[in-house]
Amino acid sequence: MAKVLIVDDSPTETYKLTGMLEKNGHSVITAVNGEEGVATAKAHKPDLVLMDIVMPGLNGFQATRQLTKGAETSHIPVIIVTTKDQETDRVWGMRQGAKAYLTKPIDEKELSAIMKKVGL
């Protein structure tokens, strides 16, 4: 199964997503902010990144842009997972290179369907 990097500053959200993913056989690594997320993605080369937007320091939009434009990480699909559900946020997230945009609370079936769509 897939190795998934969760980048989220909320321990509760990270816990919920980890539970969903591990239940479906995926392994999970985590980062608590954008900078750590980019560094962890470069170091561990996950199969997928689930990226929150609102985080201290480097936000999810900036981190997504770094990952999708970076030579070492551009092959890793990024799915934005956030409470921000404005259409402008969705459009901006996709422009940064995200493959999908999900709003919290995350539905497990929807997450699985999106993961299949990006090839996992």
Side-chain angles (χ1 to χ4, degrees), residues 12-96:
T12 304
E13 289 298 329
T14 300
Y15 177 80
K16 286 182 194 170
L17 285 169
T18 298
M20 281 182 210
L21 292 163
E22 287 179 344
K23 187 171 93 179
N24 289 295
H26 303 293
S27 63
V28 174
I29 48 179
T30 62
V32 296
N33 58 46
E35 291 93 345
E36 189 180 312
V38 170
T40 302
K42 287 179 180 176
H44 294 276
K45 304 290 192 284
D47 300 305
L48 174 70
V49 176
L50 298 180
M51 180 74 70
D52 186 26
I53 292 178
V54 182
M55 295 180 287
L58 194 69
N59 71 37
F61 290 135
Q62 295 164 320
T64 296
R65 185 169 49 244
Q66 284 188 21
L67 290 174
T68 59
K69 307 291 186 247
E72 295 175 75
T73 54
S74 62
H75 67 284
I76 303 169
V78 177
I79 298 174
I80 291 178
V81 178
T82 183
T83 55
K84 294 172 73 66
D85 64 355
Q86 297 295 312
E87 186 61 25
T88 52
D89 295 320
R90 188 176 298 273
V91 168
W92 187 244
M94 299 306 277
R95 285 179 128 177
Q96 305 317 302

